[in-house]
Amino acid sequence: MSEINTQTNSTHGRKSSRSSSRRRGARRKAARKLRVVPLGGLGEIGKNMMAVEYGDDIVVIDAGLMFPSEDLLGVDLLVPDFTYLLENREKVRGVVITHGHEDHIGALPYLLQSLHVPVYASKLSARLISAGVKQRGAKSKLDLREVNAGERINLGSLSVEFFAVCHSIPDAMGLIINTPLGTVVHTGDFKLDHTPVIGQPTDLHSLALLGTQQVLLLMSDSTYVELPGYTPSERTVAESLERIISDAPGRVIIATFSSLLGRIQQVLDIAAKSDRKVLITGRSMENIVKVASDAGYLRIPPKTLGKYEQIHNLPHDKVVILTTGTQGEPTSALVRMANREHPQVRIVSGDTVIMSATPIPGNDELVSRTIDNLFRLGANVVYGFQSRVHVHGHGSQEELKTILNLVRPRFFVPVHGEYRHLSRHAKLAQQMGVAREDVFVLNNGDVLELTESVGKVVGRVSAGDIVASGPMMGPLDPNMLRDRRLLSRDGVVVVTLPFVPKKGTLMGEPAIVSKGFVDTRGDGDIMRGAQEAVMSAVGQGRRTAKDRAALESQAREALAKYFFAKTHRRPVIIPVVTGI
Amino acid sequence: MSEINTQTNSTHGRKSSRSSSRRRGARRKAARKLRVVPLGGLGEIGKNMMAVEYGDDIVVIDAGLMFPSEDLLGVDLLVPDFTYLLENREKVRGVVITHGHEDHIGALPYLLQSLHVPVYASKLSARLISAGVKQRGAKSKLDLREVNAGERINLGSLSVEFFAVCHSIPDAMGLIINTPLGTVVHTGDFKLDHTPVIGQPTDLHSLALLGTQQVLLLMSDSTYVELPGYTPSERTVAESLERIISDAPGRVIIATFSSLLGRIQQVLDIAAKSDRKVLITGRSMENIVKVASDAGYLRIPPKTLGKYEQIHNLPHDKVVILTTGTQGEPTSALVRMANREHPQVRIVSGDTVIMSATPIPGNDELVSRTIDNLFRLGANVVYGFQSRVHVHGHGSQEELKTILNLVRPRFFVPVHGEYRHLSRHAKLAQQMGVAREDVFVLNNGDVLELTESVGKVVGRVSAGDIVASGPMMGPLDPNMLRDRRLLSRDGVVVVTLPFVPKKGTLMGEPAIVSKGFVDTRGDGDIMRGAQEAVMSAVGQGRRTAKDRAALESQAREALAKYFFAKTHRRPVIIPVVTGI
């Protein structure tokens, strides 16, 4: 720790002597500060987005979406809150994209609806962005600019250099952002795979070089900070896959993420070696294999890719079926196979199914059910950590330490992860010598302001949960959610009270309709009893028209009491008084 | 495999010469077969129940409940389907209980409402059963008989010997069921802990002895068949706990299962050594510590247990708070602390929270959220496999192999686990030499019939999902669930159409009420538009009273179309026509 602090104390002088342009910048804007404003991806997995701001210039890093947890009933997608960017729209110079996963690019179609700025991305990321914008039907013109690792772009007083990182999708990049105050390094999602299957290893040379100068701020991926050691290389999966495929007595069905091109490459290569044809099913897998082989990311061995129609003609031990569905997605090909709903593939004894992925937190139950169903149909299912058919795309503790040690930043902000991941990464950074007061565990919306020597959270901007559905976006309404939660538990009962204003009495019996409340096969008695309960509560006496609210609440209370006594349940009760 | 099969072939002769009473039984009932009917606990975790039947005698093993997965909206509990037992009520000789966890005893209050038979259980299990029956308000008299490991009870032509097993609750037992056809061994839930903290290790001697004779059928716990190696001893947790507690700068808050008495004992012992007082919070933890220390299961070191009120007087480094909430249960003390809602404990920086348990599948998100919130409040949270503050209560692969090797059964039925666990345990048994045709992966409701030499699934009995709620029970209604799912996604809209029968037209505008549908803060425009959509669809023309259904469906369709166009959502629409 002391070593780093010593370096830090001499930073200003050393940097000034190194770069005259920076020195001039620092002088001219002596009062200026660097602002880092996370708008997503902190304290949560997904919807990554961050603003880096200096003077009149904002660079946006990534614009991702997030699939909500199950308790957000009926919510399809969450995207970051763009309010801060829209309020400062004239400052935003562009969006730089680290890689093409949905949690980094998926919100672009929404952002670009109201903010027309260039988007800088690698070749593969750019293709995926185009496809996503088209699919979500965004109408604005897309100003997409392809960049490569090693390139540098100028965005006002800031410039961004891209460097290669290794991740579970090719063409991923980290960012070196040069600011008048110093250098900011953002790793993006990364692991230190020294033998990746596609593309280059993470560019440790550039980071090492930066580490010999003074880096102002490091922002580094925290997703797998809980895992000790190193994340194994993508290549280590080949051995297990090869053994399982060559031992398999019948068909092999491999499910993985469609963006995990390194895995797909390995499956193609092993199938070629094992004299099996690879048949692809599932729209996203078909698309990516086409796009990625056209763009040169996949090398398809000759005669390996079969046409899907061949499935009924090939001997079972000559077939590998490649598909998605590792997260138990109900409409995926694999889940339809597990449920005997797939039009072409009927799982039989002798089939081997390889789950070449781990469940994303929240999907465990769907995945378990899929595996159980495949076992029920007689398949041999290979899954889980022990089977070594998957490796993660994020660095583990030792990799995170390597980055901290190479970059040796003055300030550290852990990014990408739940709050516990950020906390543990922060602690790791302190163990590696970053001073406690120079490490910031931020929440989305926090405004971190840095000078060359001091960092401080100076305020908060809007960063709530924003729901996207179809082309629409809007803030999450807690009342709506609460109502959905109540409805999901015990259903709804509608009671109609036909009121006759002139007489001030009910005209006939109340009508009661329920949905999702009690067993629909034998609810006659309960509903008749409910009618009586309402009648005896509100049926007597003369009322005037202003009694509507009283009528409603009497009916609601009488029914709530009656239903709880009869069924121990508390449905949502909606009284409708007519005639008033 | 050949060795076991050879033994099997000579079984009948050997057994007959060993036991003259058995020989007579076997002759008299030569045509009789042993039936094994799982009614719960297969292909699922929880609601364990099994019937073992010979001639006119049925012994029921366990009667557990299950907490449903999240997709069973509004379902509190699932219990086994008792139909088969009620149809054969005159045959049921008793229920034998392996241990006192809810998934083995929780359905007793429901079963005993309609079936009055004795229940045999160990001392601790018996106390927990009494408490459960009282809590669920069952009215029938409980015929509860305490038994110890080593005891034998006669139940008609069957007899049951209990043997000690080690599990995450003391006083757990496995069963040796002597039948006229041969011996059945049921492990209950177990691990092979040679140094348990409370009680005896699993009784390997009895099992080894049985293995030298011929065991007809082994039924063994499959829950942790996915884990290679051995499950560590409960005692291994002490080292980590002791290190963490002695290093902790402030309070230590330890959460674990209230039934995990071995863990609680270790916490008490370590606190005593570390000169800290143990304060207990949370009703179930308070109860169990009282019950278990009264019954002699817990040895409370002198002056270690503090009164909860002392919390404000003791220095932070003299306190251990023991509580529940490891599953993120919203009403637990730990979760209330994490949410700053606990009346006495406000988490501060310097507090150490130990999650001495792993999340049960399905609870991961609640647990993660709790850990995140504790980190947010500044606590150091110790959790997860790497921290070694928890060990499982079930045996891993090598332990399951040990049991198979010791018992060397003719037939094998894996029990307790999801379908994939049963499948993998079945494969393990085959690797250990049980013939493929003698291993049965059963589903709940399957009737397995065994002779001394052949086993076959001969039929199915009713074993559906039964929902329990308060004192009520009933089969799960898929329509009800489907409605709840729809309601939970997009809420409900009630439209009231005031029809005037004499005129055959609508009297005034339709009234529209919604719950859980759109943002309640700005839905005015949408609701006005919805009224117009309904009016223009049904408001014209003259109708007769028999048009009710047509009116309803026109209104429903018009609203569905309008709402989807406006919001991309599909609420449940309930039309109410009044006046007809």
Side-chain angles (χ1 to χ4, degrees):
Chain A
M1 194 180 289
S2 60
E3 189 198 354
I4 287 182
N5 277 340
T6 312
Q7 287 191 351
T8 308
N9 292 339
S10 64
T11 300
H12 190 73
R14 282 205 288 130
K15 193 184 289 160
S16 300
S17 66
R18 238 182 26 241
S19 154
S20 61
S21 71
R22 281 190 196 164
R23 188 175 49 203
R24 266 180 283 126
R27 268 186 206 154
R28 198 176 62 233
K29 298 176 181 174
R32 289 241 167 124
K33 289 167 180 171
L34 186 71
R35 289 180 146 206
V36 172
V37 188
L39 298 169
L42 298 194
E44 62 189 12
I45 303 275
K47 71 170 164 89
N48 294 288
M49 185 178 230
M50 178 164 277
V52 175
E53 181 176 358
Y54 182 84
D56 293 332
D57 303 307
I58 290 177
V59 172
V60 180
I61 303 172
D62 289 337
L65 60 74
M66 179 174 164
F67 298 99
S69 56
E70 277 207 38
D71 59 328
L72 295 185
L73 295 169
V75 173
D76 298 331
L77 298 175
L78 293 172
V79 295
D81 187 337
F82 306 136
T83 311
Y84 180 71
L85 298 179
L86 300 181
E87 284 173 357
N88 292 281
R89 56 168 66 240
E90 77 292 344
K91 290 189 181 178
V92 180
R93 303 286 159 250
V95 183
V96 292
I97 297 294
T98 60
H99 63 284
H101 280 150
E102 283 286 59
D103 57 336
H104 292 257
I105 66 170
L108 279 173
Y110 300 96
L111 177 67
L112 298 175
Q113 278 174 33
S114 35
L115 196 66
H116 305 286
V117 294
V119 176
Y120 300 87
S122 66
K123 185 166 91 171
L124 182 63
S125 304
R127 294 200 177 202
L128 294 167
I129 290 167
S130 297
V133 167
K134 202 186 267 179
Q135 189 200 326
R136 295 218 157 75
K139 289 182 187 101
S140 64
K141 232 183 121 204
L142 181 61
D143 179 1
L144 189 55
R145 306 184 189 182
E146 222 174 279
V147 287
N148 294 312
E151 272 185 58
R152 181 179 178 139
I153 54 169
N154 291 311
L155 296 167
S157 59
L158 305 169
S159 75
V160 179
E161 275 175 72
F162 297 85
F163 66 96
V165 299
C166 213
H167 185 43
S168 46
I169 186 170
D171 256 13
M173 304 189 298
L175 311 169
I176 299 163
I177 307 176
N178 299 297
T179 81
L181 276 192
T183 306
V184 175
V185 175
H186 187 290
T187 64
D189 287 0
F190 80 98
K191 65 188 281 194
L192 298 185
D193 190 339
H194 301 295
T195 54
V197 170
I198 296 177
Q200 300 161 285
T202 296
D203 181 359
L204 297 179
H205 292 92
S206 295
L207 294 178
L209 202 64
L210 284 170
T212 63
Q213 304 150 15
Q214 175 66 41
V215 169
L216 182 70
L217 167 66
L218 170 66
M219 299 193 268
S220 180
D221 178 10
S222 313
T223 315
Y224 275 91
V225 68
E226 290 172 339
L227 296 186
Y230 289 89
T231 303
S233 168
E234 175 63 29
R235 278 192 205 272
T236 62
V237 175
E239 196 185 324
S240 321
L241 287 182
E242 197 165 341
R243 182 178 42 72
I244 295 163
I245 291 175
S246 63
D247 288 357
R251 293 181 296 195
V252 176
I253 296 152
I254 303 187
T256 192
F257 298 110
S258 62
S259 58
L260 221 177
L261 292 176
R263 192 70 44 82
I264 294 171
Q265 182 66 58
Q266 298 196 95
V267 170
L268 290 165
D269 293 344
I270 294 167
K273 260 205 212 166
S274 322
D275 196 25
R276 288 181 183 245
K277 283 253 190 267
V278 176
L279 311 177
I280 297 172
T281 179
R283 199 166 49 94
S284 64
M285 191 59 91
E286 287 162 23
N287 286 348
I288 197 91
V289 171
K290 190 170 168 0
V291 168
S293 55
D294 288 353
Y297 292 98
L298 283 179
R299 304 170 306 278
I300 299 182
K303 294 189 191 165
T304 299
L305 214 54
K307 286 207 185 305
Y308 201 68
E309 301 77 61
Q310 294 179 282
I311 191 159
H312 299 298
N313 308 325
L314 289 167
H316 277 196
D317 62 355
K318 295 290 171 212
V319 171
V320 170
I321 297 172
L322 181 63
T323 188
T324 55
T326 57
Q327 301 306 307
E329 305 93 323
T331 58
S332 66
L334 186 71
V335 173
R336 283 185 289 149
M337 291 177 203
N339 296 342
R340 310 195 68 151
E341 289 164 0
H342 194 276
Q344 278 94 36
V345 184
R346 179 136 297 201
I347 297 287
V348 294
S349 178
D351 285 345
T352 302
V353 179
I354 303 175
M355 300 291 273
S356 191
T358 36
I360 293 167
N363 295 340
D364 308 67
E365 284 195 66
L366 286 174
V367 174
S368 294
R369 204 169 301 165
T370 304
I371 294 172
D372 285 330
N373 288 338
L374 291 164
F375 267 120
R376 265 181 228 278
L377 298 175
N380 176 30
V381 191
V382 183
Y383 63 96
F385 174 69
Q386 299 298 334
S387 63
R388 297 171 195 280
V389 291
H390 181 61
V391 293
H392 295 300
H394 297 268
S396 304
Q397 277 168 21
E398 295 304 316
E399 288 155 276
L400 304 184
K401 287 189 204 165
T402 304
I403 296 296
L404 278 158
N405 190 24
L406 282 176
V407 177
R408 290 192 279 184
R410 170 64 201 256
F411 298 107
F412 179 66
V413 171
V415 294
H416 306 162
E418 305 284 356
Y419 198 88
R420 64 187 181 283
H421 303 130
L422 308 180
S423 299
R424 292 183 68 163
H425 203 179
K427 199 167 283 179
L428 208 64
Q430 289 167 38
Q431 285 163 9
M432 297 291 296
V434 186
R436 196 190 168 115
E437 64 273 20
D438 292 342
V439 175
F440 299 91
V441 178
L442 300 180
N443 290 296
N444 293 324
D446 280 347
V447 178
L448 171 65
E449 211 166 70
L450 299 176
T451 67
E452 282 161 330
S453 55
V454 180
K456 199 178 163 194
V457 174
V458 295
R460 275 190 61 74
V461 304
S462 174
D465 274 324
I466 305 294
V467 171
S469 162
M472 299 218 318
M473 277 176 60
L476 193 68
D477 176 7
N479 294 323
M480 183 181 74
L481 261 192
R482 189 208 53 211
D483 286 344
R484 285 185 189 163
R485 202 161 297 138
L486 293 172
L487 289 165
S488 77
R489 276 211 286 262
D490 296 330
V492 62
V493 176
V494 179
V495 53
T496 313
L497 300 163
F499 189 67
V500 183
K502 283 177 197 158
K503 295 188 188 167
T505 57
L506 289 186
M507 178 183 73
E509 295 190 332
I512 298 181
V513 184
S514 81
K515 278 271 177 192
F517 167 40
V518 282
D519 194 317
T520 51
R521 292 165 297 196
D523 62 357
D525 286 352
I526 287 178
M527 290 311 170
R528 269 189 296 280
Q531 274 189 325
E532 283 161 27
V534 176
M535 288 295 277
S536 79
V538 309
Q540 292 108 11
R542 194 182 160 75
R543 289 161 215 285
T544 60
K546 67 177 174 184
D547 273 340
R548 182 192 198 111
L551 255 179
E552 286 183 354
S553 78
Q554 280 170 357
R556 189 185 283 120
E557 276 164 33
L559 280 179
K561 203 173 146 196
Y562 170 78
F563 286 136
F564 189 76
K566 279 282 172 188
T567 66
H568 273 244
R569 314 224 54 107
R570 303 181 192 280
V572 171
I573 296 169
I574 304 181
V576 178
V577 176
T578 65
I580 296 183
Chain B
M1 194 182 288
S2 59
E3 189 199 353
I4 287 183
N5 277 340
T6 312
Q7 287 191 349
T8 309
N9 293 338
S10 65
T11 302
H12 189 72
R14 282 205 288 129
K15 193 183 291 163
S16 301
S17 66
R18 240 185 22 241
S19 154
S20 62
S21 71
R22 280 190 196 166
R23 188 176 48 203
R24 267 182 280 125
R27 268 186 206 152
R28 198 176 62 233
K29 298 177 181 174
R32 290 236 168 127
K33 289 167 179 167
L34 186 72
R35 288 179 148 206
V36 172
V37 188
L39 298 169
L42 299 194
E44 61 189 14
I45 303 275
K47 72 170 166 89
N48 294 286
M49 183 178 234
M50 177 163 281
V52 175
E53 181 176 359
Y54 182 83
D56 293 332
D57 303 307
I58 290 177
V59 171
V60 180
I61 303 172
D62 290 336
L65 59 73
M66 180 173 162
F67 297 98
S69 56
E70 277 207 38
D71 58 330
L72 296 185
L73 295 170
V75 173
D76 296 332
L77 298 175
L78 292 172
V79 296
D81 187 338
F82 306 135
T83 311
Y84 181 71
L85 299 179
L86 299 181
E87 284 172 358
N88 293 280
R89 54 167 68 238
E90 76 292 342
K91 291 188 180 178
V92 180
R93 302 287 159 249
V95 183
V96 292
I97 297 294
T98 59
H99 64 282
H101 280 150
E102 282 287 59
D103 57 334
H104 293 256
I105 65 170
L108 279 173
Y110 300 96
L111 178 68
L112 298 175
Q113 278 174 31
S114 36
L115 196 66
H116 304 288
V117 293
V119 176
Y120 300 87
S122 66
K123 184 166 93 173
L124 182 64
S125 304
R127 294 199 177 203
L128 294 167
I129 290 167
S130 298
V133 167
K134 201 186 270 177
Q135 189 199 327
R136 293 216 159 77
K139 289 182 188 102
S140 63
K141 230 183 120 206
L142 181 61
D143 179 1
L144 190 54
R145 306 183 189 181
E146 222 175 278
V147 287
N148 294 312
E151 271 185 59
R152 181 180 179 139
I153 55 168
N154 291 311
L155 296 167
S157 59
L158 305 169
S159 75
V160 179
E161 274 176 70
F162 297 85
F163 66 96
V165 299
C166 213
H167 185 43
S168 45
I169 186 169
D171 255 12
M173 304 189 297
L175 310 169
I176 300 163
I177 306 177
N178 299 297
T179 81
L181 277 191
T183 305
V184 175
V185 174
H186 189 290
T187 62
D189 287 359
F190 80 98
K191 65 187 281 192
L192 298 186
D193 190 337
H194 301 294
T195 53
V197 171
I198 296 177
Q200 300 160 285
T202 297
D203 180 359
L204 296 178
H205 292 92
S206 295
L207 294 177
L209 201 64
L210 284 170
T212 62
Q213 304 150 14
Q214 174 66 43
V215 169
L216 183 70
L217 169 65
L218 170 66
M219 299 193 269
S220 180
D221 177 11
S222 313
T223 315
Y224 275 91
V225 68
E226 289 173 338
L227 295 186
Y230 290 88
T231 302
S233 168
E234 176 63 30
R235 277 191 206 272
T236 61
V237 174
E239 196 185 323
S240 321
L241 288 183
E242 197 166 340
R243 182 177 43 72
I244 297 163
I245 291 174
S246 63
D247 287 359
R251 293 182 296 193
V252 176
I253 296 152
I254 302 187
T256 192
F257 298 111
S258 62
S259 58
L260 221 176
L261 293 176
R263 194 68 45 83
I264 295 171
Q265 182 66 57
Q266 298 196 95
V267 170
L268 290 166
D269 293 344
I270 295 167
K273 259 205 213 168
S274 321
D275 196 24
R276 286 180 184 246
K277 284 253 190 267
V278 176
L279 311 177
I280 296 173
T281 177
R283 199 165 48 90
S284 63
M285 192 58 92
E286 287 163 22
N287 286 347
I288 197 91
V289 170
K290 187 167 170 7
V291 168
S293 55
D294 288 352
Y297 291 99
L298 283 179
R299 305 171 306 278
I300 298 183
K303 296 188 189 165
T304 299
L305 213 53
K307 287 206 185 303
Y308 200 69
E309 301 77 64
Q310 295 179 278
I311 191 157
H312 299 298
N313 307 326
L314 289 166
H316 277 199
D317 61 355
K318 295 291 171 211
V319 172
V320 169
I321 297 172
L322 181 63
T323 187
T324 56
T326 57
Q327 301 306 308
E329 305 93 323
T331 58
S332 66
L334 186 69
V335 173
R336 281 184 289 148
M337 291 177 205
N339 296 343
R340 312 195 68 150
E341 289 164 0
H342 194 277
Q344 278 93 37
V345 184
R346 178 135 299 202
I347 297 287
V348 294
S349 178
D351 285 344
T352 301
V353 179
I354 303 176
M355 300 291 273
S356 189
T358 37
I360 293 167
N363 295 341
D364 308 66
E365 284 194 65
L366 286 174
V367 174
S368 295
R369 206 169 301 166
T370 305
I371 294 172
D372 284 330
N373 288 339
L374 290 165
F375 268 119
R376 265 181 229 278
L377 297 176
N380 177 29
V381 191
V382 183
Y383 64 96
F385 174 69
Q386 299 299 334
S387 63
R388 298 171 195 278
V389 290
H390 180 62
V391 294
H392 295 300
H394 297 269
S396 304
Q397 276 168 21
E398 296 304 316
E399 288 155 276
L400 303 183
K401 287 190 203 166
T402 304
I403 295 296
L404 279 158
N405 190 24
L406 282 176
V407 177
R408 288 191 282 182
R410 172 61 200 257
F411 298 107
F412 179 66
V413 171
V415 293
H416 306 162
E418 304 285 355
Y419 199 88
R420 64 186 181 282
H421 303 128
L422 308 178
S423 299
R424 292 184 68 163
H425 203 180
K427 198 165 284 178
L428 208 63
Q430 289 167 37
Q431 286 164 8
M432 297 292 296
V434 186
R436 195 190 168 117
E437 64 272 20
D438 294 340
V439 176
F440 299 91
V441 178
L442 301 179
N443 290 298
N444 294 324
D446 281 347
V447 178
L448 172 66
E449 211 166 71
L450 299 176
T451 67
E452 283 163 327
S453 56
V454 180
K456 201 178 160 191
V457 174
V458 296
R460 276 190 61 75
V461 304
S462 175
D465 274 326
I466 305 293
V467 172
S469 163
M472 300 219 316
M473 275 176 60
L476 193 68
D477 176 7
N479 293 324
M480 183 180 74
L481 262 192
R482 190 208 51 212
D483 286 344
R484 285 186 189 163
R485 202 160 299 138
L486 293 172
L487 289 166
S488 77
R489 277 211 284 263
D490 296 331
V492 62
V493 175
V494 179
V495 53
T496 312
L497 300 163
F499 190 65
V500 183
K502 282 178 197 159
K503 295 188 189 167
T505 55
L506 289 187
M507 180 182 74
E509 293 191 337
I512 298 180
V513 183
S514 81
K515 278 269 176 193
F517 167 42
V518 281
D519 195 316
T520 49
R521 291 165 296 196
D523 62 356
D525 286 351
I526 288 179
M527 290 310 170
R528 269 188 295 282
Q531 275 189 324
E532 283 161 25
V534 176
M535 288 295 276
S536 79
V538 308
Q540 291 107 13
R542 193 179 162 76
R543 289 158 217 286
T544 60
K546 66 178 175 183
D547 274 340
R548 183 192 196 109
L551 255 180
E552 286 183 354
S553 78
Q554 279 171 356
R556 189 185 284 118
E557 276 164 34
L559 281 180
K561 203 174 145 193
Y562 171 79
F563 285 139
F564 188 77
K566 279 282 173 191
T567 66
H568 273 245
R569 314 224 55 107
R570 301 181 193 281
V572 171
I573 296 168
I574 304 181
V576 178
V577 176
T578 64
I580 295 184

PDB file of all heavy atoms in Angstrom, chain B residues 5 243 276:
ATOM      1  N   ASN B   5     -24.979 -61.314  -7.970  1.00  0.00           N
ATOM      2  CA  ASN B   5     -26.024 -62.132  -8.577  1.00  0.00           C
ATOM      3  C   ASN B   5     -25.942 -63.586  -8.128  1.00  0.00           C
ATOM      4  O   ASN B   5     -26.956 -64.226  -7.914  1.00  0.00           O
ATOM      5  CB  ASN B   5     -25.934 -62.046 -10.109  1.00  0.00           C
ATOM      6  CG  ASN B   5     -26.646 -60.799 -10.602  1.00  0.00           C
ATOM      7  OD1 ASN B   5     -27.477 -60.252  -9.875  1.00  0.00           O
ATOM      8  ND2 ASN B   5     -26.318 -60.352 -11.794  1.00  0.00           N
ATOM      9  N   ARG B 243     -12.119 -19.402  14.013  1.00  0.00           N
ATOM     10  CA  ARG B 243     -11.206 -18.392  13.471  1.00  0.00           C
ATOM     11  C   ARG B 243     -11.961 -17.085  13.188  1.00  0.00           C
ATOM     12  O   ARG B 243     -11.537 -15.996  13.574  1.00  0.00           O
ATOM     13  CB  ARG B 243     -10.576 -18.935  12.184  1.00  0.00           C
ATOM     14  CG  ARG B 243      -9.564 -18.010  11.532  1.00  0.00           C
ATOM     15  CD  ARG B 243      -8.925 -18.646  10.299  1.00  0.00           C
ATOM     16  NE  ARG B 243      -9.883 -19.356   9.433  1.00  0.00           N
ATOM     17  CZ  ARG B 243     -10.786 -18.777   8.659  1.00  0.00           C
ATOM     18  NH1 ARG B 243     -10.881 -17.456   8.628  1.00  0.00           N
ATOM     19  NH2 ARG B 243     -11.613 -19.498   7.910  1.00  0.00           N
ATOM     20  N   ARG B 276     -17.566 -14.740  24.688  1.00  0.00           N
ATOM     21  CA  ARG B 276     -18.682 -13.953  24.165  1.00  0.00           C
ATOM     22  C   ARG B 276     -19.985 -14.542  24.683  1.00  0.00           C
ATOM     23  O   ARG B 276     -20.092 -15.737  24.905  1.00  0.00           O
ATOM     24  CB  ARG B 276     -18.706 -14.001  22.633  1.00  0.00           C
ATOM     25  CG  ARG B 276     -17.637 -13.176  21.957  1.00  0.00           C
ATOM     26  CD  ARG B 276     -17.754 -13.291  20.448  1.00  0.00           C
ATOM     27  NE  ARG B 276     -16.690 -12.597  19.759  1.00  0.00           N
ATOM     28  CZ  ARG B 276     -16.862 -11.522  18.977  1.00  0.00           C
ATOM     29  NH1 ARG B 276     -18.063 -11.020  18.785  1.00  0.00           N
ATOM     30  NH2 ARG B 276     -15.838 -10.961  18.375  1.00  0.00           N
TER      31      ARG B 276
END
